[in-house]
Amino acid sequence: MRIGPYPLANNVLLAPMAGITDRPFREICKRFGAGLTVSEMTASNPALRLHARTLLKSDGEGESGLRSVQILGTDPVQMAEAARFNVERGAHIIDINMGCPAKKVCSVAAGSALLRDEALVGNILDAVVNAACVPVTLKIRTGWDLHNRNAVRIAEIAEAAGIAALTVHGRTRACKFNGEAEYDTITAVKQAVGIPVIANGDIDSPEKARFVLAATGADAVMIGRAACGNPWLFEQIRYFFQGGDKHWQPAPATILSTIEAHLEQLYGFYGESAGVKIARKHIGWYLGRFDSISQDVRQSLNAATIATDQLRLTRSALDFLT
């Protein structure tokens, strides 16, 4: 699969996730074979563009491989400016968020709320594609609600605007992350346009990845929540696609070293205080794989406020892996 001039290493990609897909997590997922990763969504509002937290979300300094930065907003001019700004900071691909279902995003008519205004969608896509000198991709949902699925029409608008690839999450905005993803609309989108289509939603195993690709005809799958605490899922899926065992897992020592490396990268990226706080959710996801870890140990980890303590407690909790 290609996005513009860029050939991807494979067709198993990491979805952009707010508060999760920072540079440390993207690097971990690339290490385990993610064919492309996308940053957290970044605000296009010029008042927020230079805010330290916004800059961290799209920080790709020293990042390996392709850098895709997702932008969010409702004003075509501001979105175009945000695209240029992030290209100047090193983005190889600009991704536009029209899929986020969060209330705070949709309340200002951004994210998946834009799907209700097809004319505005077209204006935003035209502005960003014309402003950026790199490929522009788009992420959407199947529609606003179950009675208003317009992903096919949005896909046609996107293709006409010059969008290089389209990701479709198999839920409407109203569904948020509830229920099961539906793939019929993704199939219809793939049949309607010639640009690469990426299927997203509930892909959490090698078997599910193969099923979704076959059912939809999509060019790639995008992994979201299932990668949290399980970054080696990308390698597992790729190995399965090549005829390997669907139950493949990295060696226990690799799992432990990966978790340690992830925590250390978080401390370095955010600083100790913020890094420890952000690491807690990742530790929770990693430890969630192991039923043998007691609640007392988990509570001690959540209470740690110093990086060395948090790392020591994590190593102790996972000592059985060595």
Side-chain angles (χ1 to χ4, degrees):
M1 176 179 164
R2 303 177 68 91
I3 294 182
Y6 302 120
L8 303 188
N10 59 70
N11 64 345
V12 186
L13 319 180
L14 173 67
M17 292 179 282
I20 299 172
T21 53
D22 53 20
R23 191 177 78 198
F25 189 65
R26 296 196 303 270
E27 284 290 273
I28 292 290
C29 291
K30 285 180 180 179
R31 174 185 167 189
F32 284 99
L36 179 71
T37 67
V38 187
S39 77
E40 303 175 64
M41 60 184 179
T42 61
S44 62
N45 185 333
L48 301 174
R49 195 176 301 151
L50 295 177
H51 190 279
R53 180 70 182 110
T54 302
L55 292 174
L56 272 181
K57 289 180 180 180
S58 59
D59 189 327
E61 184 177 354
E63 184 173 350
S64 61
L66 292 174
R67 292 175 52 194
S68 177
V69 175
Q70 187 179 80
I71 58 176
L72 171 80
T74 60
D75 182 90
V77 173
Q78 291 182 3
M79 290 285 278
E81 291 173 349
R84 282 191 292 263
F85 175 77
N86 281 290
V87 170
E88 290 170 0
R89 297 186 72 219
H92 300 105
I93 298 169
I94 295 296
D95 186 58
I96 298 174
N97 183 323
M98 293 189 184
C100 180
K103 184 176 180 180
K104 67 179 181 180
V105 171
C106 290
S107 65
V108 293
S112 55
L114 285 166
L115 300 178
R116 294 184 295 181
D117 191 336
E118 294 177 2
L120 181 56
V121 167
N123 290 337
I124 290 173
L125 300 185
D126 287 339
V128 175
V129 169
N130 289 331
C133 56
V134 301
V136 178
T137 58
L138 172 65
K139 190 168 191 289
I140 65 171
R141 287 189 165 231
T142 57
W144 175 253
D145 59 31
L146 295 175
H147 304 291
N148 296 279
R149 289 192 181 98
N150 62 336
V152 170
R153 177 58 187 148
I154 296 294
E156 293 169 342
I157 294 170
E159 184 173 40
I163 290 297
L166 175 69
T167 299
V168 185
H169 183 115
R171 287 182 173 86
T172 68
R173 184 270 164 186
C175 293
K176 297 184 180 179
F177 294 100
N178 300 318
E180 295 183 358
E182 50 95 2
Y183 303 114
D184 291 350
T185 304
I186 301 177
T187 303
V189 167
K190 176 58 184 173
Q191 294 172 348
V193 297
I195 59 176
V197 173
I198 303 160
N200 177 223
D202 292 355
I203 301 167
D204 57 3
S205 69
E207 304 98 311
K208 190 63 173 286
R210 185 168 67 180
F211 166 79
V212 172
L213 283 172
T216 64
D219 300 275
V221 289
M222 183 169 273
I223 310 295
R225 293 169 291 168
C228 297
N230 189 21
W232 34 86
L233 178 59
F234 299 95
E235 183 66 23
Q236 187 180 46
I237 292 172
R238 293 198 305 121
Y239 186 60
F240 180 62
F241 284 178
Q242 294 166 6
D245 183 356
K246 64 185 178 182
H247 299 299
W248 175 90
Q249 290 287 325
T254 300
I255 293 176
L256 180 58
S257 65
T258 298
I259 296 171
E260 291 176 342
H262 191 181
L263 299 188
E264 289 169 349
Q265 289 173 29
L266 289 171
Y267 305 147
F269 187 67
Y270 291 105
E272 180 173 11
S273 179
V276 166
K277 293 176 183 177
I278 291 168
R280 288 172 183 156
K281 61 190 173 189
H282 289 283
I283 292 171
W285 287 321
Y286 283 122
L287 268 56
R289 300 168 49 81
F290 306 108
D291 296 334
S292 59
I293 299 173
S294 71
Q295 190 61 34
D296 288 343
V297 170
R298 297 174 193 270
Q299 289 176 349
S300 295
L301 275 162
N302 283 333
T305 58
I306 300 173
T308 53
D309 289 344
Q310 189 180 61
L311 193 55
R312 174 181 54 80
L313 288 165
T314 301
R315 286 170 175 158
S316 178
L318 297 171
D319 183 62
F320 62 90
L321 292 175
T322 60

